[in-house]
């Protein structure tokens, strides 16, 4: 049962990351060269049209970091054990996809190629840690509440 839960968590995290990246790309209407919601079917033509626009790649890095952070949070909320590890897995998968993108399409600037390594892992780790901290605080608060209920009033 944990296998299905973990798989669902990873797929949900990747979906959230892809959705945030898609919405981030749509922020500037001059970048949109496609009619569908998601740009991934027309990725090569999109990259060709924004090849000399560094602002697109800065936005792509920013929303990629935001996407893996929230994707890591969603994944860590769904999986039962090793929350940070599964959140980092989201970062690894997104890094792998970004590296394939760089290998397949030669339209990326050098700063983007270097920065993906500095963005995906740390931000996915932060997403996992956010969830871990929230769960630890919730456990601590529940424990304190239980202890306060079990205390006998002094006469």
């Amino acid at each position: 049962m944990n296998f299905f839960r973990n798989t669902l968590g990873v797929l949900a995290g990747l979906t959230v990351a892809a959705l945030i990246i898609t919405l981030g790309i749509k922020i500037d209407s001059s970048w949109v060269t496609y009619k569908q919601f998601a740009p991934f079917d027309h990725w090569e033509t999109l990259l060709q049209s924004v090849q000399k626009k560094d602002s697109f790649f800065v936005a792509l890095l920013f929303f990629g970091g935001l996407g893996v952070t929230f994707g890591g949070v969603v994944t860590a909320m769904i999986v039962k054990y090793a929350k940070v590890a599964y959140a980092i897995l989201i970062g690894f998968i997104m890094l792998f996809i970004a590296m394939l993108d760089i290998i397949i399409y030669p339209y990326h600037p050098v700063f983007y190629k270097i920065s993906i390594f500095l963005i995906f892992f740390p931000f996915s780790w932060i997403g996992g840690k956010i969830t871990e901290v929230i769960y630890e605080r919730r456990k601590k608060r529940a424990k304190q509440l239980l202890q306060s209920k079990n205390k006998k009033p002094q006469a």
Side-chain angles (χ1 to χ4, degrees):
M1 193 62 174
N2 276 341
F3 174 76
F4 294 115
R5 185 175 181 167
N6 296 344
T7 304
L8 175 70
V10 169
L11 291 175
L14 289 173
T15 303
V16 166
L19 182 66
I20 290 174
I21 291 170
T22 299
L23 293 174
I25 290 173
K26 289 182 168 272
I27 248 178
D28 188 351
S29 61
S30 69
W31 299 338
V32 180
T33 60
Y34 49 91
K35 293 182 179 172
Q36 291 81 10
F37 176 73
F40 305 114
D41 289 338
H42 307 283
W43 192 245
E44 184 173 15
T45 56
L46 173 67
L47 287 177
Q48 282 177 340
S49 68
V50 297
Q51 185 175 5
K52 300 294 181 192
K53 298 178 183 175
D54 287 344
S55 60
F56 172 80
F57 293 101
V58 170
L60 188 59
L61 282 171
F62 175 76
F63 286 105
L66 200 63
V68 297
T69 300
F70 284 110
V73 167
V74 168
T75 299
M77 287 173 55
I78 294 173
V79 299
K80 194 168 187 174
Y81 304 108
K83 295 178 180 301
V84 177
Y86 278 100
I88 291 174
L89 179 63
I90 297 300
F92 177 74
I93 292 170
M94 293 300 290
L95 176 66
F96 181 74
I97 292 169
M99 288 179 61
L100 281 177
D101 177 40
I102 289 170
I103 292 168
I104 294 171
Y105 305 114
Y107 308 113
H108 303 83
V110 175
F111 79 88
Y112 178 81
K113 294 175 184 179
I114 295 169
S115 298
I116 60 168
F117 295 102
L118 304 172
I119 296 292
F120 288 118
F121 279 127
F123 281 87
S124 62
W125 176 79
I126 288 170
K129 286 308 261 184
I130 288 170
T131 308
E132 191 175 76
V133 167
I134 290 171
Y135 275 90
E136 290 300 318
R137 284 186 182 172
R138 191 178 291 166
K139 279 183 189 177
K140 188 177 179 181
R141 198 171 290 141
K143 189 177 179 181
Q144 287 174 348
L145 185 63
L146 185 63
Q147 285 177 351
S148 67
K149 283 183 178 181
N150 289 339
K151 281 186 179 179
K152 294 181 182 176
Q154 300 211 356

